[in-house]
Amino acid sequence: MNDVALLIVDVQNDFCPGGALAVAEGDQVIPPLNEAAATIAQRGGAVFASRDWHPRQTKHFAEFGGKWPVHCVQGTEGAAFHPDLRLPEGTVIISKGTGTEDDGYSAFEGHTEDGKTLDEALRARGIKRLLVGGLATDYCVRASVLDALRHGYEVIVLTDAIRGVNLQPDDSARALQEMQNAGARLMSTAEALQQLG
Ligand code: VGL
Ligand code: ZN
């Protein structure tokens, strides 16, 4: 499995119940993601975890012309990974949304701690296949999956390990359809892990 990586998108306090931009049932992605992370790490795959990591003043926030309440401000408790998320040793953290002018939804717009893009970090490890889960289906999961496909990765979206914001009630369903049309495969975490052997 050493050409496989799990990409855990934005499982942060602010996107979970009680957070500043809470996604309904956002914390329910954690059990399947913990299982996937442990299994993949144990079988020689890599784990990447993105985090929404905004400056306090950004056009992403409603008070500066954007769409969203203040959330995931760099260094705050809301921006921390959810305490139940178990990231294996060696997990690579990708910080994104760090600019003041853009939304930065995709993990492919983010950087590792040593300044590599996600694509550079994946290529350096010979990763060809990505399992993707996390928050939110209709924003950062969607944008990250579509970018991964554009970069030529094989992508499996873990359907039990994602939840959406759903500003419009069918946003997540539409995002899933869009990801599938672009070439992503959709399956449960159990199916994906089984299929990888
Ligand atoms: C996200 C809305 C605003 C996400 C980030 O992680 O999907 N959604 N910022
Ligand atoms: Zn954000």
Side-chain angles (χ1 to χ4, degrees):
M1 255 199 217
N2 46 24
D3 68 338
V4 173
L6 172 66
L7 174 61
I8 298 175
V9 177
D10 300 5
V11 180
Q12 293 165 274
N13 289 324
D14 272 342
F15 295 126
C16 290
L21 180 41
V23 172
E25 302 182 346
D27 54 344
Q28 290 189 26
V29 306
I30 296 170
L33 289 174
N34 282 344
E35 194 196 335
T39 303
I40 285 170
Q42 188 195 345
R43 298 192 199 161
V47 179
F48 287 74
S50 70
R51 61 183 184 186
D52 212 29
W53 199 244
H54 297 305
R56 177 61 185 81
Q57 296 187 20
T58 162
K59 290 183 181 166
H60 187 58
F61 295 155
E63 65 182 284
F64 306 106
K67 181 157 164 174
W68 305 108
V70 174
H71 64 277
C72 296
V73 173
Q74 298 168 4
T76 63
E77 191 53 31
F81 290 118
H82 190 287
D84 294 342
L85 185 67
R86 288 196 296 271
L87 298 176
E89 205 179 305
T91 297
V92 179
I93 309 296
I94 303 289
S95 300
K96 60 173 195 58
T98 55
T100 56
E101 305 295 315
D102 61 320
D103 291 303
Y105 292 131
S106 169
F108 283 84
E109 296 173 46
H111 294 85
T112 63
E113 260 133 334
D114 48 6
K116 290 195 182 74
T117 65
L118 175 57
D119 185 50
E120 288 166 346
L122 292 169
R123 269 191 286 143
R125 288 163 180 250
I127 306 293
K128 306 242 181 290
R129 301 183 280 170
L130 281 180
L131 272 52
V132 183
L135 305 169
T137 310
D138 36 358
Y139 289 92
C140 292
V141 171
R142 172 187 174 278
S144 301
V145 165
L146 295 177
D147 270 352
L149 292 165
R150 278 183 210 113
H151 280 93
Y153 296 94
E154 264 179 56
V155 180
I156 295 176
V157 179
L158 304 173
T159 51
D160 55 332
I162 53 177
R163 292 293 188 279
V165 178
N166 293 322
L167 292 181
Q168 301 296 325
D170 60 346
D171 282 351
S172 288
R174 283 172 32 189
L176 276 170
Q177 190 63 59
E178 225 180 320
M179 292 186 262
Q180 193 169 34
N181 291 346
R185 296 157 70 207
L186 313 182
M187 64 185 85
S188 71
T189 303
E191 280 177 282
L193 293 174
Q194 202 163 35
Q195 146 140 7
L196 293 170

